[in-house]
Amino acid sequence: MSYQIWFAYMLACWVISISPGAGAIASMSSGLSYGFRRGYWNAIGLQLALIVQIGIVAAGVGVLFATTPWAFLVVKWFGVLYLLYLAYLQWNAPIQSIDIKTETKPKTIPMLMLHGFLVNMSNPKAIVFLLAVLPQFLDLSKPQWIQYVIMAVTMITIDLIVMAGYTGLAAKVLRLLKSPKQQKYMNRTFAVLFSCAAGLLSLVHQ
């Protein structure tokens, strides 16, 4: 994986992580309920699930590319179209009331990690998203497993940073998400970012 491809992948990871989703909501909920130090264990659970999901994608894509020569183009354009679809959904996303309640019953650290793990693992869209994005950055002339390790470390590091922000700034972020006007601006911004990511992916060659 060249530096240029890694840099493009890193930018895509920031867009993916910052975009509000189930993991961000879970992190904010933990931050509001337990504070940063304890609530951040939820983010660790999120990353454990991400490792499992990346492993599933890596195993499946490795076999697919080895047995089907034209599979790269199929996966590539699937990824581009999927990101454009996400951009469309984000642009037209309805303004919703996001209500995060603090938990009255305290959770142990293992329970917080398990909660984060289940949040990511129970989301089938995560696998589809990873399948649409990760293979685009592979250099098939080099060992795939090394590249997947690099991509996993990059994505997890960025996601840990972003989830730290969501956990530590839970109250401020929640106020931002609750404002209809700010929600609209945020949705449109991420729609543009997803479209830009799709454009970058369309330029990637095998």
Side-chain angles (χ1 to χ4, degrees), residues 90-96 176-191:
Q90 198 74 40
W91 185 273
N92 295 286
I95 304 302
Q96 299 177 345
L176 176 66
L177 292 176
K178 280 188 173 181
S179 167
K181 184 177 181 179
Q182 296 297 333
Q183 274 194 59
K184 181 178 180 180
Y185 287 151
M186 183 174 59
N187 287 338
R188 297 291 171 87
T189 298
F190 281 110

Side-chain angles (χ1 to χ4, degrees), residues 84-157:
L84 290 175
Y85 171 69
L86 289 180
Y88 170 79
L89 292 180
Q90 198 74 40
W91 185 273
N92 295 286
I95 304 302
Q96 299 177 345
S97 175
I98 301 177
D99 184 21
I100 300 179
K101 298 179 180 179
T102 56
E103 301 178 26
T104 56
K105 185 178 180 180
K107 287 183 179 179
T108 63
I109 288 177
M111 289 176 65
L112 285 169
M113 293 178 64
L114 178 61
H115 178 261
F117 180 84
L118 293 177
V119 165
N120 261 359
M121 285 304 296
S122 61
N123 182 11
K125 292 182 179 180
I127 289 287
V128 177
F129 191 91
L130 291 173
L131 179 61
V133 174
L134 295 186
Q136 322 302 329
F137 298 94
L138 287 175
D139 182 349
L140 299 184
S141 65
K142 299 178 181 179
Q144 292 186 27
W145 71 269
I146 297 178
Q147 298 176 73
Y148 272 112
V149 169
I150 293 173
M151 288 191 288
V153 171
T154 301
M155 179 174 283
I156 289 170
T157 300

